Amino acid sequence: MFEKTAAVGVATAETLVGGNLPRLRWSQIKEQGVYVNPRTGEAFRFYEGAIVKGGSPGTHQLGDPIIFQVSPDPDELEMNIRRICADNNIKLTL
């Protein structure tokens, strides 16, 4: 009797990039961990010493892109980073 119809153009939590991962700007990084830029797919590992003001010149990047914290552990295994990114619809280019 009833026909099943697919919803068109409905965004669900599963289809949103980043899911429930902490989302912030590059300039807002205050703690160590693994961060991913969803636009480029690049992953960055930040250790405590790199976050201290003036601690590392490598923490400066042009612009202030939105990034996601994939793990609070900067030594997170690559396979776990890949899984977390896949689960949250983030394209990763390691």
Side-chain angles (χ1 to χ4, degrees):
M1 291 266 163
F2 294 100
E3 242 182 83
K4 276 184 148 181
T5 58
V8 178
V10 176
T12 64
E14 293 79 32
T15 61
L16 296 176
V17 172
N20 292 323
L21 294 175
R23 175 183 171 171
L24 57 155
R25 294 270 180 193
W26 186 267
S27 60
Q28 295 173 316
I29 296 174
K30 301 281 189 257
E31 58 185 58
Q32 69 178 13
V34 177
Y35 296 85
V36 176
N37 180 333
R39 204 177 102 243
T40 63
E42 291 178 284
F44 304 90
R45 295 178 189 266
F46 283 95
Y47 292 89
E48 200 71 37
I51 298 168
V52 177
K53 190 169 186 150
S56 173
T59 59
H60 303 290
Q61 182 169 321
L62 294 175
D64 197 19
I66 292 173
I67 55 174
F68 291 97
Q69 183 182 27
V70 177
S71 172
D73 180 6
D75 293 319
E76 187 69 63
L77 295 175
E78 182 180 329
M79 66 181 205
N80 291 340
I81 295 169
R82 288 185 183 281
R83 180 188 50 76
I84 294 167
C85 286
D87 289 347
N88 289 280
N89 298 311
I90 298 173
K91 182 179 161 187
L92 183 65
T93 57
L94 282 179

